[in-house]
C-alpha cells in the first residue's frame, strides 16, 4: 500500500488479536513511524504482525511536544500512524492534541474504523442503542463521581462508562443509591476468553458483584439504562404479556391488546417494544 503523507488513526484489538483489520495492518506496514502510547506494550502486537516500523512514544505527558515533531515529519513527506494500547486512539486515550494540531496545520488525518470497547459493549448490552452517551471514566474521588452521576440522572440516553475493576462495586453501589432500581449492565473482558455480560437492577447488581470477586475482575464497560419514565413505570406482567404476544403479532397489535388486558398506556408499550425488539413488520406504523 502506498500511503499519502498523513496521520493515520489506527484502532488495535481490545483483547482478541484477530480483530485487527486488514487495512490497519496495511497502514502499519507502510508508515514511516508509529506513535504509540506505550512502545513496549505495542511492540508485542507489532512483533505478532511482523511489523518493524520505527516506534515513538506519545502519551499524556509528552503529547504537546511530540505533536510538533510528528507534524513536521508529515509535512516533510512521511506518514505517521497513531495507535494506543488497545482500541481506538483518543477514546479515553491520548491523541486529542495531536489531531487538533494536525487539523490546525492542514495535515491530513485519516481515521480507520476498528475495535472500541464502548461500542463493542453497547452493541450486545440489550440496552437501547438509538441514543447513547459515552462518558469515559467517572472521576475517581467519591464526591466528584457522585456529582457526575447526579448530573446524568435524567438523561434518557443509555450511559456508557469505562470503569476500573477496583472501583466497580463502589460505583454500582453509588448508582443504586442515586438511581434506585435502574438497570445496569456490566460487560467484562470483551473479545477475550472470559467475556461476560450481566444485566440487573442496580441494587441486585451490587449483591451479585459482592458475591464473587471474579465478577469484578478484568476490563470493564459499565452501562446504565437511560431515564425513560414511561417505560420504567410499566408493570412487569404487562411487559411479559407484550413479549408473549410479540412472538405472534406485530408490535402495534400486541401493544393494543396488552394495553387492554393490563389497563396500561398503549403508547408506552409501543415505545418499549420499539426499544427492546429488533423486528418490526410493515404493519407497525407509528401510533
Ligand atoms: N481506547 C480504548 C477503546 O477504544 O475502547 C479504551 C482505552 S481506556 C484507557 C481502557 C478502558 O477501556 C478499560 O479500563 C476498560 O474500561 C475498557 N476496555 C478496554 N478493553 C476492554 C475489554 N476487552 N473489555 C471490557 N472493557 C475494556
Amino acid at each position: 500500500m502506498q500511503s499519502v503523507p498523513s496521520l493515520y488513526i489506527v484502532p488495535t484489538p481490545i483483547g482478541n488479536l484477530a480483530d485487527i483489520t486488514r487495512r490497519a495492518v496495511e497502514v502499519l506496514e507502510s508508515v514511516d513511524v508509529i506513535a504509540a502510547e506505550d512502545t513496549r506494550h505495542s511492540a508485542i502486537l507489532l512483533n505478532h504482525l511482523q511489523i518493524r516500523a520505527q516506534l515513538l512514544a506519545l502519551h499524556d505527558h509528552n503529547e504537546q511536544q511530540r505533536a510538533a515533531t510528528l507534524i513536521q515529519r508529515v509535512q516533510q513527506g512521511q506518514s505517521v500512524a497513531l495507535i494506543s494500547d488497545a482500541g481506538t486512539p483518543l477514546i479515553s486515550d491520548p491523541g486529542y492534541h495531536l489531531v487538533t494540531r494536525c487539523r490546525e496545520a492542514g495535515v491530513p488525518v485519516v481515521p480507520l474504523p476498528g475495535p472500541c470497547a464502548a461500542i463493542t459493549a453497547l452493541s450486545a448490552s440489550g440496552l437501547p442503542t438509538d441514543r447513547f452517551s459515552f462518558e469515559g471514566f467517572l472521576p475517581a474521588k467519591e464526591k466528584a463521581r457522585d456529582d457526575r452521576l447526579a448530573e446524568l440522572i435524567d438523561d434518557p440516553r443509555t450511559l456508557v462508562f469505562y470503569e476500573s475493576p477496583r472501583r466497580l462495586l463502589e460505583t454500582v453501589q453509588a448508582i443504586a443509591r442515586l438511581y434506585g432500581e435502574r438497570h445496569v449492565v456490566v460487560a467484562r473482558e470483551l473479545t477475550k476468553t472470559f467475556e461476560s455480560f450481566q444485566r440487573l437492577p442496580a441494587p441486585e447488581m451490587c449483591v451479585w458483584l459482592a458475591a464473587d470477586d471474579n465478577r469484578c475482575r478484568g476490563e470493564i464497560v459499565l452501562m446504565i439504562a437511560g431515564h425513560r419514565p414511561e417505560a420504567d413505570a410499566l408493570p412487569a406482567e404487562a411487559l411479559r404479556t407484550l413479549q408473549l404476544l410479540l412472538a405472534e403479532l406485530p408490535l402495534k397489535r400486541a401493544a393494543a391488546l396488552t394495553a387492554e388486558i393490563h389497563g396500561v398506556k398503549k403508547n408506552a408499550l409501543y415505545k418499549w417494544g420499539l426499544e427492546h425488539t429488533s423486528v418490526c413488520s410493515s404493519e407497525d406504523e407509528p401510533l
Side-chain angles (χ1 to χ4, degrees):
M1 183 192 133
Q2 190 64 40
S3 65
V4 180
S6 312
L7 170 70
Y8 291 88
I9 309 297
V10 183
T12 53
I14 57 170
N16 187 329
L17 291 183
D19 290 334
I20 187 100
T21 69
R22 245 196 249 186
R23 187 168 168 225
V25 174
E26 284 172 7
V27 167
L28 293 174
E29 276 170 345
S30 70
V31 293
D32 301 285
V33 56
I34 299 175
E37 192 182 357
D38 175 343
T39 51
R40 281 205 305 200
H41 178 96
S42 293
I44 300 169
L45 172 74
L46 297 172
N47 279 341
H48 168 81
L49 298 171
Q50 298 184 323
I51 291 171
R52 312 254 169 264
Q54 185 196 351
L55 272 170
L56 214 64
L58 179 134
H59 41 70
D60 287 337
H61 306 294
N62 71 354
E63 188 174 344
Q64 300 277 9
Q65 165 238 324
R66 269 289 142 85
T69 316
L70 292 169
I71 288 171
Q72 211 175 24
R73 290 181 76 152
V74 181
Q75 284 170 334
Q76 286 166 353
Q78 296 193 358
S79 273
V80 175
L82 173 67
I83 60 176
S84 61
D85 286 355
T88 302
L90 282 86
I91 306 301
S92 293
D93 268 336
Y96 167 71
H97 293 292
L98 175 61
V99 170
T100 307
R101 290 186 56 184
C102 282
R103 290 290 180 205
E104 284 164 5
V107 164
V109 181
V110 182
L112 272 64
C116 175
I119 298 298
T120 308
L122 180 69
S123 68
S125 66
L127 294 173
T129 52
D130 54 339
R131 297 180 68 200
F132 64 90
S133 175
F134 173 63
E135 296 292 327
F137 287 95
L138 281 161
K141 295 222 168 89
E142 193 181 320
K143 163 93 173 62
R145 177 202 63 201
D146 288 0
D147 288 350
R148 177 76 55 80
L149 284 171
E151 263 172 38
L152 296 167
I153 212 158
D154 291 327
D155 198 320
R157 298 169 296 178
T158 297
L159 303 172
V160 183
F161 303 89
Y162 287 157
E163 189 49 289
S164 106
R166 277 177 294 111
R167 290 198 286 263
L168 178 65
L169 179 56
E170 280 185 16
T171 301
V172 179
Q173 284 166 342
I175 295 167
R177 205 167 1 91
L178 294 162
Y179 290 58
E181 291 292 317
R182 196 87 70 85
H183 277 212
V184 295
V185 176
V186 171
R188 228 171 48 84
E189 293 290 271
L190 296 164
T191 77
K192 305 185 204 176
T193 313
F194 296 108
E195 175 178 286
S196 71
F197 280 82
Q198 179 67 296
R199 175 181 177 155
L200 286 170
E204 287 174 42
M205 186 66 89
C206 296
V207 176
W208 186 80
L209 289 172
D212 182 347
D213 286 349
N214 286 323
R215 293 174 180 168
C216 288
R217 291 232 166 93
E219 295 199 278
I220 287 145
V221 180
L222 174 64
M223 290 159 283
I224 309 180
H227 178 56
R228 306 205 178 185
E230 279 190 340
D232 291 348
L234 287 170
E237 320 84 72
L239 294 179
R240 175 87 186 116
T241 307
L242 181 64
Q243 280 166 318
L244 288 172
L245 291 176
L246 274 174
E248 308 291 336
L249 297 170
L251 174 57
K252 193 173 164 184
R253 187 85 193 107
L257 283 174
T258 308
E260 219 171 295
I261 296 167
H262 292 278
V264 292
K265 283 194 179 151
K266 195 166 60 177
N267 277 351
L269 290 164
Y270 184 80
K271 257 175 99 179
W272 187 95
L274 282 182
E275 283 161 10
H276 291 80
T277 55
S278 50
V279 190
C280 283
S281 82
S282 55
E283 290 174 58
D284 282 331
E285 297 300 321
L287 287 177

